[in-house]
């Protein structure tokens, strides 16, 4: 074991595969000897502080000796100037480690306003011996969280924020909500006392510093190279600890409030998140197409939606999907099935419901607090609301343009299907797909759309098309397996549903690593010719040239090791610089979204906006990469 850990210490976590492999090795070590793992983890956590102190000490030692030499050989004016330079250097080095973190948004609530809620917090905090909560904030999330905001950068001195989602309180009973509160407060304590809480807290601190040095190219030789290794390595090494802290927080919550309340809180949290995403948010999207300004009752409407009884079929489908998920290394949070199994909870049929809501803990302040959140949401969404309306108008124009085109390419026809479906014209989408499947019967995206639309109509013919998409395109496999699993569940074909679930879970793990590989780029990333058909390239070039903001456009294929047959394309758009006060100006994120909606390419791709010539040189120098260059 000692030799194994020695190898771990010098490894560099530079790829998703390396991160995943390291986590798996550490899981084995932690299971065999938990005490040994925790001791090593604490030493590794302190290494960041030791390195920083050592560098500062060496820097101070060198500058101090330089100052003494100047004292002996130079005039007083020179010494004074050097002291000022020394002070500026010290301040500059210290500033490298202060990452600004904005306070969370929401409505501040106080003990005087909602005494019953704070009484519950006091009871749980006392039982857990949790540190003091400095601020409690109510927001419009279906979630609760602890946020620790450092006042002195990596040194610490944290302010503890408790973020409570009003929709979460509406979705849960008082006891289920208290179980969630207990879970969050338990994170402040840590599974093995203050040391565990410290490690849980600083886990992302070192990783964020590594990203800061990489993005800003700050810290130079002293810090950038060290933290580019140490940050990702410590994040991976502490992953096992962070995952165990989730289980430990669940266990403590179950001890205080009851395992059944904690497990049911997790279940209702998951299924209500599906209800909001599938039923409530689409209604808000429809309003964005008709209303000029955001509605002033968003939170109120969400609370009403959460208060409705579940349709039994919807509840079964959503719960089945969430239980089919499995834990992976993408998140320290275990999957739902693992968490309720660890609590020893057996899923009853039907799920117990309650008419009591945790919002009763807010007393007579529920209505005024809801109105405050309504107003806050309306103010925050004003700009994005206008953007969504503009995108909808552009989508309608694009759809009409594609319908009128004499000889659209296959990719343009697939784009028309997608946009028609997204405009909630589902009946019109099916004939478009049927026409496509006759012309390109082996195209994976066309097969997926055909299978998906047929499955939605409970037509078993959809199975064949979805399985064809899985066999030819791994990026579609997770979505296709999900639809097949749901369909088999609805048909009460238990064995078939279980088989699809197992295949889905196995693919998810492999595809997640592939996504990480495709999203991460460094000096080792390689590009090659995109190899798209000439008519597709011509269509892309003509469309990109129609944008006044585009100076040049490049396209290349990124070489990948995972699923190499599933090609991954990267667009680089050189944007013309002009003032954000100019008419028609779009910020980069809006411009990228507009391009993403407009580019007719169903293949796996990403879009990157640049303004400086030195960026993405390797891709731009790839043979045949230039799609368009202004003359």
């Amino acid at each position: 074991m000692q030799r194994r850990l020695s190898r771990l210490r010098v490894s560099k976590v530079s790829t998703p595969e390396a991160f995943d492999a390291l986590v798996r090795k550490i899981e084995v070590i932690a299971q065999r000897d938990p005490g040994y793992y925790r001791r090593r983890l604490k030493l590794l956590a302190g290494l960041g502080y030791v390195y920083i102190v050592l560098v500062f000490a060496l820097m101070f030692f060198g500058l101090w000796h330089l100052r003494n030499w100047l004292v002996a050989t130079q005039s007083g004016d020179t010494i004074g100037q050097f002291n000022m330079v020394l002070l500026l250097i010290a301040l500059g080095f210290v500033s490298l480690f202060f990452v600004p973190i904005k306070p969370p948004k929401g409505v501040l609530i106080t003990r005087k306003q909602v005494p019953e809620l704070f009484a519950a917090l006091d009871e749980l905090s006392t039982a857990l011996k949790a540190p003091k909560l400095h601020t409690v904030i109510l927001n419009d999330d279906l979630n609760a969280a602890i946020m620790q905001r450092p006042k002195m950068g990596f040194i610490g001195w944290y302010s503890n924020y408790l973020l409570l989602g009003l929709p979460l309180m509406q979705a849960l009973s008082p006891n289920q909500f208290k179980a969630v509160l207990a879970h969050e407060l338990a994170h402040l304590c840590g599974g093995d006392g203050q040391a565990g809480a410290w490690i849980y807290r600083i886990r992302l601190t070192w990783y964020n510093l590594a990203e800061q040095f990489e993005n800003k190219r700050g810290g130079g030789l002293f810090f950038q190279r060290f933290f580019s290794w140490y940050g990702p390595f410590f994040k991976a090494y502490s992953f096992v600890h962070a995952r165990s802290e989730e289980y430990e927080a669940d266990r403590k919550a179950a001890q205080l409030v009851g395992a059944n309340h904690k497990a049911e809180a997790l279940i209702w949290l998951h299924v209500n998140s599906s209800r909001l995403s599938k039923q409530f948010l689409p209604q808000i999207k429809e309003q964005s197409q008709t209303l000029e300004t955001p509605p002033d009752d968003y939170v109120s409407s969400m609370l009403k939606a959460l208060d409705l009884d579940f349709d039994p079929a919807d509840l079964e489908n959503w719960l089945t999907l969430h239980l089919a998920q499995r834990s992976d290394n993408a998140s320290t949070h275990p999957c739902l099935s693992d968490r309720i199994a660890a609590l020893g909870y057996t899923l009853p049929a039907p799920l117990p419901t309650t008419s009591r809501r945790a919002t009763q803990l807010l007393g007579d302040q529920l209505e005024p607090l809801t109105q405050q959140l309504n107003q806050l949401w309306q103010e925050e969404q004003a700009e994005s609301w206008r953007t969504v309306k503009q995108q909808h108008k552009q989508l309608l124009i694009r759809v009409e343009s594609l319908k009128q085109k004499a000889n659209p390419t296959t990719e343009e026809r697939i784009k028309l299907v997608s946009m028609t479906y997204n405009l909630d014209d589902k009946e019109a989408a099916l004939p478009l797909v049927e026409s496509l499947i006759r012309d390109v019967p082996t195209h994976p995206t066309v097969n997926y759309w055909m299978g998906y639309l047929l499955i939605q109509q409970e037509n078993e013919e959809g199975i064949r098309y979805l399985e064809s998409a899985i066999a030819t395109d791994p990026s579609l496999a997770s979505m296709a397996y999900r639809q097949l699993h749901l369909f088999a569940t609805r048909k009460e074909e238990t064995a078939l549903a279980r088989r699809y679930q197992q295949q889905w879970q196995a693919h998810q793990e492999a595809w997640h690593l592939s996504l990480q590989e495709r999203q991460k780029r460094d000096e080792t990333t390689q590009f090659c010719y995109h190899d798209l058909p000439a008519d597709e390239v011509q269509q892309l070039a003509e469309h990109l040239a129609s944008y006044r903001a585009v100076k040049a456009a490049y396209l290349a294929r990124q070489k990948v090791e995972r699923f190499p047959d599933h090609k991954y394309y990267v667009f680089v758009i050189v944007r013309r610089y002009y003032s954000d006060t100019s008419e028609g100006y779009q910020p980069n994120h809006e411009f990228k979204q507009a391009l993403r909606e407009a580019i007719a390419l169903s293949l796996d791709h990403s879009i990157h906006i640049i303004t400086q010539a030195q960026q993405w040189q390797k891709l731009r120098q790839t043979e045949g990469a230039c799609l368009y260059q202004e003359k």
Side-chain angles (χ1 to χ4, degrees):
M1 185 179 295
Q2 293 283 355
R3 288 194 298 272
R4 175 180 296 172
L5 197 59
S6 177
R7 289 197 299 271
L8 292 177
R9 279 200 299 268
V10 298
S11 59
K12 185 174 181 179
V13 188
S14 57
T15 64
E17 292 82 359
F19 182 91
D20 190 64
L22 179 58
V23 169
R24 292 181 185 278
K25 290 179 181 179
I26 296 168
E27 284 176 337
V28 174
I29 295 172
Q31 289 171 1
R32 288 179 178 175
D33 192 342
Y36 175 82
Y37 167 71
R38 286 195 296 270
R39 290 193 299 272
R40 291 289 177 171
L41 179 60
K42 292 173 185 177
L43 290 173
L44 187 61
L47 176 61
Y49 291 100
V50 170
Y51 183 82
I52 292 170
V53 170
L54 180 62
V55 170
F56 271 85
L58 290 173
M59 181 187 71
F60 178 80
F61 180 79
L63 292 174
W64 182 257
H65 278 273
L66 179 58
R67 181 185 182 280
N68 289 339
W69 177 78
L70 289 172
V71 168
T73 59
Q74 303 293 327
S75 64
D77 290 342
T78 303
I79 300 303
Q81 294 172 359
F82 182 79
N83 288 339
M84 182 59 66
V85 171
L86 186 62
L87 177 62
L88 292 174
I89 291 174
L91 291 174
F93 268 75
V94 171
S95 68
L96 291 173
F97 297 92
F98 284 82
V99 182
I101 300 177
K102 296 181 179 179
K105 295 181 179 179
V107 176
L108 176 68
I109 53 178
T110 64
R111 185 179 298 274
K112 184 178 180 180
Q113 279 180 295
V114 285
E116 193 173 352
L117 173 60
F118 275 83
L121 286 172
D122 290 342
E123 178 186 353
L124 295 170
S125 296
T126 301
L128 290 166
K129 299 179 181 179
K132 178 183 176 181
L133 287 172
H134 300 100
T135 309
V136 180
I137 290 178
L138 195 68
N139 59 32
D140 57 24
D141 293 335
L142 184 70
N143 198 12
I146 288 287
M147 174 182 172
Q148 293 188 289
R149 187 167 174 248
K151 298 178 181 178
M152 298 186 65
F154 77 98
I155 297 174
W157 191 17
Y158 291 88
S159 292
N160 296 324
Y161 290 81
L162 175 62
L163 312 181
L164 300 177
L166 185 58
L168 178 72
M169 300 182 71
Q170 180 75 345
L172 304 180
S173 71
N175 283 330
Q176 292 165 359
F177 180 65
K178 288 178 182 178
V180 173
L181 292 180
H183 175 97
E184 296 303 327
L185 291 170
H187 281 313
L188 292 175
C189 308
D192 55 352
Q194 292 184 351
W198 169 62
I199 292 172
Y200 187 87
R201 182 167 56 240
I202 69 167
R203 179 173 181 268
L204 291 181
T205 299
W206 298 133
Y207 186 75
N208 289 338
L209 277 176
E211 287 193 330
Q212 175 175 289
F213 289 135
E214 181 177 354
N215 294 336
K216 295 183 178 180
R217 300 297 177 186
L221 178 64
F222 292 113
F223 296 114
Q224 185 175 330
R225 296 192 60 166
F226 172 77
F227 278 101
S228 67
W229 161 79
Y230 177 72
F233 181 82
F234 183 71
K235 185 181 180 183
Y237 198 94
S238 58
F239 184 94
V240 177
H241 174 268
R243 172 69 59 82
S244 69
E245 284 293 298
E246 295 298 333
Y247 284 117
E248 180 65 14
D250 281 351
R251 186 186 66 80
K252 288 182 176 179
Q255 285 181 336
L256 286 178
V257 187
N260 60 320
H261 293 308
K262 177 55 188 172
E264 287 162 12
L266 290 168
I267 291 169
W268 289 118
L269 173 61
H270 280 77
V271 295
N272 274 293
S273 68
S274 292
R275 171 155 69 172
L276 292 181
S277 64
K278 299 295 184 182
Q279 295 178 346
F280 175 72
L281 293 180
Q283 295 175 5
I284 301 300
K285 181 181 177 181
E286 289 180 10
Q287 292 181 8
S288 71
Q289 298 167 11
T290 56
L291 299 178
E292 290 301 319
T293 58
D296 58 3
D297 62 347
Y298 171 80
V299 179
S300 300
S301 300
M302 192 190 306
L303 299 186
K304 290 177 183 178
L306 290 167
D307 201 33
L308 297 173
D309 292 333
F310 275 93
D311 178 273
D314 288 337
L315 178 59
E316 181 182 3
N317 283 345
W318 296 333
L319 182 56
T320 297
L321 280 175
H322 287 295
L323 290 174
Q325 300 284 345
R326 65 183 301 177
S327 301
D328 57 32
N329 294 338
S331 170
T332 58
H333 286 82
C335 67
L336 175 61
S337 57
D338 286 349
R339 292 179 76 172
I340 63 176
L343 290 166
Y345 182 81
T346 301
L347 198 67
L351 277 171
T353 59
T354 178
S355 59
R356 299 178 67 227
R357 306 292 181 180
T359 46
Q360 72 182 47
L361 296 174
L362 300 176
D364 60 4
Q365 291 297 303
L366 173 59
E367 184 59 28
L369 287 170
T370 303
Q371 293 305 320
Q372 283 183 264
L373 288 174
N374 279 332
Q375 182 179 355
L376 183 62
W377 183 86
Q378 187 182 39
E379 293 171 353
E380 290 178 345
Q381 295 297 316
E383 182 178 348
S384 62
W385 194 265
R386 289 191 294 270
T387 301
V388 170
K389 286 185 68 65
Q390 183 62 33
Q391 289 174 350
H392 179 70
K393 291 178 182 177
Q394 292 173 348
L395 185 59
L396 290 172
I397 294 171
R398 182 71 173 139
V399 166
E400 192 59 33
S401 173
L402 288 175
K403 285 181 178 179
Q404 299 300 323
K405 193 161 186 178
N407 296 301
T409 65
T410 298
E411 293 295 332
E412 287 176 321
R413 294 171 68 188
I414 293 172
K415 192 69 175 179
L416 179 59
V417 171
S418 174
M419 291 189 292
T420 302
Y421 186 86
N422 288 335
L423 288 171
D424 293 325
D425 195 357
K426 298 176 176 57
E427 292 184 2
L430 184 56
L432 297 174
V433 179
E434 289 174 336
S435 174
L436 268 167
I437 204 74
R438 288 192 293 268
D439 295 338
V440 283
T442 61
H443 196 293
T445 305
V446 177
N447 273 270
Y448 173 79
W449 272 111
M450 190 69 185
Y452 173 74
L453 293 174
L454 290 175
I455 285 288
Q456 298 306 304
Q457 298 178 351
E458 302 299 326
N459 188 333
E460 292 187 2
E461 278 295 303
I463 296 175
R464 159 170 81 88
Y465 292 104
L466 290 176
E467 290 183 339
S468 174
I470 290 171
T472 51
D473 190 339
S475 69
L476 300 172
S478 288
M479 295 186 295
Y481 277 131
R482 172 177 173 152
Q483 296 303 324
L484 291 168
H485 173 65
L486 279 175
F487 184 73
T489 302
R490 291 197 298 271
K491 295 295 183 181
E492 298 184 351
E493 298 182 18
T494 307
L496 184 61
R498 186 180 300 111
R499 176 166 66 84
Y500 283 135
Q501 177 183 340
Q502 292 170 346
Q503 292 172 330
W504 178 20
Q505 290 172 336
H507 178 77
Q508 274 185 308
E509 185 174 346
W511 185 243
H512 168 70
L513 292 174
S514 177
L515 287 177
Q516 288 185 308
E517 178 191 12
R518 290 159 193 256
Q519 292 165 3
K520 184 176 179 61
R521 292 173 192 87
D522 53 27
E523 64 277 1
T524 64
T525 304
Q526 299 294 320
F527 298 96
C528 62
Y529 178 61
H530 53 70
D531 68 11
L532 292 181
D535 58 342
E536 300 287 357
V537 174
Q538 181 65 24
Q539 176 262 321
L540 288 169
E542 289 176 356
H543 185 70
L544 291 169
S546 68
Y547 286 87
R548 183 171 67 93
V550 175
K551 290 178 63 178
Y554 299 84
L555 173 65
R557 182 158 57 89
Q558 182 175 323
K559 294 182 179 180
V560 293
E561 294 182 5
R562 289 184 176 271
F563 299 104
D565 293 336
H566 179 66
K567 299 173 182 179
Y568 182 63
Y569 299 87
V570 180
F571 285 91
V572 170
I573 310 297
V574 183
R575 182 172 188 175
R576 186 192 311 280
Y577 175 79
Y578 57 99
S579 171
D580 58 7
T581 61
S582 303
E583 183 179 356
Y585 173 82
Q586 286 180 298
N588 276 350
H589 68 280
E590 293 182 12
F591 185 49
K592 183 187 292 187
Q593 181 62 30
L595 289 174
R596 185 177 291 113
E597 292 290 338
I599 288 176
L601 189 67
S602 64
L603 303 173
D604 197 6
H605 68 278
S606 61
I607 301 172
H608 304 270
I609 310 294
I610 65 173
T611 56
Q612 299 179 15
Q614 65 269 28
Q615 295 175 300
W616 291 85
Q617 284 283 14
K618 187 184 292 186
L619 182 146
R620 295 167 66 189
Q621 292 171 358
T622 302
E623 181 182 358
C626 185
L627 292 177
Y628 164 73
Q629 179 81 48
E630 70 173 2
K631 297 179 180 179

